[in-house]
Every structure is written in C-alpha cells, then in structure tokens.
Amino acid sequence: MSHELPTPPMNLPTEIVNTLNESDPKRLRDVATYAEALAEHKERETRLKESADQEEVEERPDDLPGEVPAKATITVKEINDNRYYYWQWREGDTVKSQYKGPVDPNE
C-alpha cells in the first residue's frame, strides 16, 4: 500500500508547496493554525469595511462634537457609583470613547 502526498490546490504557488513539503508535522500544524486565523481575520476586516461602506449616515445629532464620528453611539459607564454618558465608536480594531456628560438621575 503506497502513501501518496496530497495534491495541493492548483492556485498555490510552487515555492509555498515546496516549503510545506519540506516541513515537519508540527510546523505544518502551526502553519495550518496560523493560516486559518489569518483567513478569519482578513474575512472579518473585509466584512467590517463592506458594512462601513454600506452604512449611510443620516443627520449628525446636534450635541455630537466635531471630533466624534456620526456613527458613534452613546453608552453609559458607572464610575464610583456615578453614571456618565460617553460617545463610543470603533476605529479599526480599537474602540474609542469621549465623555458626553453625567446621566440625569431623573431620567
């Protein structure tokens, strides 16, 4: 019974195939894990970019500061038993916040 190498995808460059064929099983598993994580990351980035491109920003709220993007949302943070409003938005993989004001306890 012969054990043949699996057939690589046709679109995989020869130099990558050769490098993989020369690698030990542990390195191949590491490459597979990294490649899967990298593919998921790139797909997520593409989805985020596409959804950002498709979002149509309506009107800017009157109380939205100029440095805060229109896509920002308001969140409430509790600090030392006090509640505060913050503008919050995403820039790439980072979540940015800017203080808006205290929460009115009568609301």
mmCIF file of all heavy atoms in Angstrom, residues 68-87:
data_model
loop_
_atom_site.group_PDB
_atom_site.id
_atom_site.type_symbol
_atom_site.label_atom_id
_atom_site.label_comp_id
_atom_site.label_asym_id
_atom_site.label_seq_id
_atom_site.Cartn_x
_atom_site.Cartn_y
_atom_site.Cartn_z
ATOM 1 N N VAL A 68 -16.087 63.621 17.001
ATOM 2 C CA VAL A 68 -16.738 62.315 17.170
ATOM 3 C C VAL A 68 -17.456 61.968 15.873
ATOM 4 O O VAL A 68 -18.244 62.760 15.369
ATOM 5 C CB VAL A 68 -17.735 62.347 18.353
ATOM 6 C CG1 VAL A 68 -18.508 61.052 18.452
ATOM 7 C CG2 VAL A 68 -16.998 62.644 19.657
ATOM 8 N N PRO A 69 -17.194 60.777 15.302
ATOM 9 C CA PRO A 69 -17.856 60.418 14.044
ATOM 10 C C PRO A 69 -19.358 60.217 14.218
ATOM 11 O O PRO A 69 -19.828 59.862 15.295
ATOM 12 C CB PRO A 69 -17.168 59.116 13.629
ATOM 13 C CG PRO A 69 -16.456 58.619 14.819
ATOM 14 C CD PRO A 69 -16.261 59.763 15.755
ATOM 15 N N ALA A 70 -20.107 60.436 13.153
ATOM 16 C CA ALA A 70 -21.568 60.329 13.195
ATOM 17 C C ALA A 70 -22.030 58.919 13.523
ATOM 18 O O ALA A 70 -23.136 58.727 14.001
ATOM 19 C CB ALA A 70 -22.163 60.788 11.873
ATOM 20 N N LYS A 71 -21.193 57.916 13.278
ATOM 21 C CA LYS A 71 -21.591 56.532 13.566
ATOM 22 C C LYS A 71 -21.468 56.180 15.046
ATOM 23 O O LYS A 71 -21.808 55.079 15.454
ATOM 24 C CB LYS A 71 -20.759 55.564 12.733
ATOM 25 C CG LYS A 71 -19.282 55.585 13.081
ATOM 26 C CD LYS A 71 -18.495 54.655 12.206
ATOM 27 C CE LYS A 71 -17.010 54.740 12.538
ATOM 28 N NZ LYS A 71 -16.214 53.900 11.705
ATOM 29 N N ALA A 72 -20.997 57.122 15.882
ATOM 30 C CA ALA A 72 -20.816 56.863 17.310
ATOM 31 C C ALA A 72 -22.159 56.608 17.981
ATOM 32 O O ALA A 72 -23.195 57.123 17.562
ATOM 33 C CB ALA A 72 -20.114 58.046 17.970
ATOM 34 N N THR A 73 -22.121 55.803 19.019
ATOM 35 C CA THR A 73 -23.312 55.545 19.826
ATOM 36 C C THR A 73 -23.048 56.042 21.244
ATOM 37 O O THR A 73 -21.903 56.286 21.624
ATOM 38 C CB THR A 73 -23.649 54.043 19.871
ATOM 39 O OG1 THR A 73 -22.538 53.330 20.409
ATOM 40 C CG2 THR A 73 -23.981 53.510 18.491
ATOM 41 N N ILE A 74 -24.104 56.188 22.006
ATOM 42 C CA ILE A 74 -23.971 56.643 23.390
ATOM 43 C C ILE A 74 -24.001 55.431 24.299
ATOM 44 O O ILE A 74 -24.868 54.560 24.169
ATOM 45 C CB ILE A 74 -25.096 57.627 23.764
ATOM 46 C CG1 ILE A 74 -24.970 58.894 22.935
ATOM 47 C CG2 ILE A 74 -25.055 57.946 25.250
ATOM 48 C CD1 ILE A 74 -26.067 59.903 23.175
ATOM 49 N N THR A 75 -23.040 55.366 25.203
ATOM 50 C CA THR A 75 -23.005 54.304 26.199
ATOM 51 C C THR A 75 -22.990 54.947 27.582
ATOM 52 O O THR A 75 -22.663 56.128 27.726
ATOM 53 C CB THR A 75 -21.761 53.409 26.047
ATOM 54 O OG1 THR A 75 -20.596 54.211 26.202
ATOM 55 C CG2 THR A 75 -21.739 52.727 24.705
ATOM 56 N N VAL A 76 -23.345 54.162 28.586
ATOM 57 C CA VAL A 76 -23.338 54.640 29.963
ATOM 58 C C VAL A 76 -22.273 53.859 30.718
ATOM 59 O O VAL A 76 -22.225 52.631 30.656
ATOM 60 C CB VAL A 76 -24.718 54.442 30.633
ATOM 61 C CG1 VAL A 76 -24.677 54.845 32.095
ATOM 62 C CG2 VAL A 76 -25.785 55.225 29.892
ATOM 63 N N LYS A 77 -21.411 54.604 31.410
ATOM 64 C CA LYS A 77 -20.385 53.983 32.244
ATOM 65 C C LYS A 77 -20.629 54.405 33.677
ATOM 66 O O LYS A 77 -20.983 55.549 33.953
ATOM 67 C CB LYS A 77 -18.982 54.421 31.815
ATOM 68 C CG LYS A 77 -18.612 53.951 30.426
ATOM 69 C CD LYS A 77 -17.191 54.345 30.096
ATOM 70 C CE LYS A 77 -16.833 53.881 28.688
ATOM 71 N NZ LYS A 77 -15.439 54.161 28.358
ATOM 72 N N GLU A 78 -20.436 53.450 34.599
ATOM 73 C CA GLU A 78 -20.587 53.770 36.011
ATOM 74 C C GLU A 78 -19.200 53.845 36.628
ATOM 75 O O GLU A 78 -18.403 52.910 36.538
ATOM 76 C CB GLU A 78 -21.434 52.713 36.722
ATOM 77 C CG GLU A 78 -21.764 53.104 38.137
ATOM 78 C CD GLU A 78 -22.869 52.260 38.748
ATOM 79 O OE1 GLU A 78 -23.789 51.856 38.022
ATOM 80 O OE2 GLU A 78 -22.780 52.025 39.960
ATOM 81 N N ILE A 79 -18.904 54.994 37.252
ATOM 82 C CA ILE A 79 -17.610 55.218 37.874
ATOM 83 C C ILE A 79 -17.869 55.750 39.281
ATOM 84 O O ILE A 79 -18.537 56.786 39.446
ATOM 85 C CB ILE A 79 -16.769 56.235 37.060
ATOM 86 C CG1 ILE A 79 -16.581 55.722 35.630
ATOM 87 C CG2 ILE A 79 -15.429 56.490 37.736
ATOM 88 C CD1 ILE A 79 -15.986 56.737 34.678
ATOM 89 N N ASN A 80 -17.368 55.039 40.283
ATOM 90 C CA ASN A 80 -17.545 55.446 41.690
ATOM 91 C C ASN A 80 -19.007 55.736 42.020
ATOM 92 O O ASN A 80 -19.334 56.767 42.596
ATOM 93 C CB ASN A 80 -16.676 56.665 42.017
ATOM 94 C CG ASN A 80 -15.210 56.379 41.878
ATOM 95 O OD1 ASN A 80 -14.771 55.253 42.106
ATOM 96 N ND2 ASN A 80 -14.434 57.383 41.504
ATOM 97 N N ASP A 81 -19.869 54.826 41.624
ATOM 98 C CA ASP A 81 -21.319 54.921 41.870
ATOM 99 C C ASP A 81 -21.996 56.097 41.167
ATOM 100 O O ASP A 81 -23.117 56.460 41.506
ATOM 101 C CB ASP A 81 -21.615 54.975 43.378
ATOM 102 C CG ASP A 81 -21.216 53.694 44.084
ATOM 103 O OD1 ASP A 81 -21.318 52.613 43.460
ATOM 104 O OD2 ASP A 81 -20.801 53.764 45.256
ATOM 105 N N ASN A 82 -21.321 56.713 40.217
ATOM 106 C CA ASN A 82 -21.923 57.767 39.393
ATOM 107 C C ASN A 82 -21.994 57.268 37.962
ATOM 108 O O ASN A 82 -21.118 56.540 37.506
ATOM 109 C CB ASN A 82 -21.094 59.047 39.457
ATOM 110 C CG ASN A 82 -21.081 59.635 40.850
ATOM 111 O OD1 ASN A 82 -22.120 59.874 41.437
ATOM 112 N ND2 ASN A 82 -19.889 59.851 41.386
ATOM 113 N N ARG A 83 -23.048 57.685 37.247
ATOM 114 C CA ARG A 83 -23.224 57.234 35.857
ATOM 115 C C ARG A 83 -22.968 58.398 34.905
ATOM 116 O O ARG A 83 -23.403 59.510 35.139
ATOM 117 C CB ARG A 83 -24.626 56.665 35.683
ATOM 118 C CG ARG A 83 -24.835 55.431 36.567
ATOM 119 C CD ARG A 83 -26.215 54.902 36.476
ATOM 120 N NE ARG A 83 -26.462 54.593 35.077
ATOM 121 C CZ ARG A 83 -27.618 54.174 34.586
ATOM 122 N NH1 ARG A 83 -28.630 54.017 35.368
ATOM 123 N NH2 ARG A 83 -27.758 53.932 33.322
ATOM 124 N N TYR A 84 -22.249 58.064 33.789
ATOM 125 C CA TYR A 84 -21.873 59.078 32.818
ATOM 126 C C TYR A 84 -22.143 58.580 31.408
ATOM 127 O O TYR A 84 -21.993 57.398 31.122
ATOM 128 C CB TYR A 84 -20.384 59.417 32.940
ATOM 129 C CG TYR A 84 -19.999 59.905 34.309
ATOM 130 C CD1 TYR A 84 -19.498 59.025 35.258
ATOM 131 C CD2 TYR A 84 -20.144 61.243 34.656
ATOM 132 C CE1 TYR A 84 -19.148 59.469 36.521
ATOM 133 C CE2 TYR A 84 -19.796 61.698 35.911
ATOM 134 C CZ TYR A 84 -19.295 60.802 36.854
ATOM 135 O OH TYR A 84 -18.964 61.249 38.101
ATOM 136 N N TYR A 85 -22.533 59.523 30.538
ATOM 137 C CA TYR A 85 -22.691 59.211 29.119
ATOM 138 C C TYR A 85 -21.344 59.384 28.417
ATOM 139 O O TYR A 85 -20.607 60.343 28.687
ATOM 140 C CB TYR A 85 -23.693 60.152 28.439
ATOM 141 C CG TYR A 85 -25.129 59.945 28.815
ATOM 142 C CD1 TYR A 85 -25.857 60.957 29.425
ATOM 143 C CD2 TYR A 85 -25.768 58.747 28.523
ATOM 144 C CE1 TYR A 85 -27.187 60.781 29.745
ATOM 145 C CE2 TYR A 85 -27.108 58.560 28.845
ATOM 146 C CZ TYR A 85 -27.808 59.576 29.456
ATOM 147 O OH TYR A 85 -29.131 59.406 29.769
ATOM 148 N N TYR A 86 -21.060 58.466 27.503
ATOM 149 C CA TYR A 86 -19.882 58.568 26.651
ATOM 150 C C TYR A 86 -20.283 58.284 25.217
ATOM 151 O O TYR A 86 -21.113 57.408 24.961
ATOM 152 C CB TYR A 86 -18.807 57.538 27.059
ATOM 153 C CG TYR A 86 -18.018 57.934 28.271
ATOM 154 C CD1 TYR A 86 -18.510 57.713 29.540
ATOM 155 C CD2 TYR A 86 -16.768 58.527 28.134
ATOM 156 C CE1 TYR A 86 -17.783 58.078 30.666
ATOM 157 C CE2 TYR A 86 -16.028 58.887 29.247
ATOM 158 C CZ TYR A 86 -16.539 58.663 30.513
ATOM 159 O OH TYR A 86 -15.810 59.019 31.602
ATOM 160 N N TRP A 87 -19.705 59.047 24.287
ATOM 161 C CA TRP A 87 -19.799 58.695 22.876
ATOM 162 C C TRP A 87 -18.816 57.555 22.680
ATOM 163 O O TRP A 87 -17.713 57.587 23.218
ATOM 164 C CB TRP A 87 -19.392 59.868 21.985
ATOM 165 C CG TRP A 87 -20.333 61.027 22.039
ATOM 166 C CD1 TRP A 87 -20.138 62.216 22.669
ATOM 167 C CD2 TRP A 87 -21.611 61.105 21.434
ATOM 168 N NE1 TRP A 87 -21.226 63.033 22.499
ATOM 169 C CE2 TRP A 87 -22.138 62.373 21.732
ATOM 170 C CE3 TRP A 87 -22.371 60.224 20.653
ATOM 171 C CZ2 TRP A 87 -23.390 62.777 21.282
ATOM 172 C CZ3 TRP A 87 -23.609 60.635 20.211
ATOM 173 C CH2 TRP A 87 -24.112 61.888 20.522
#
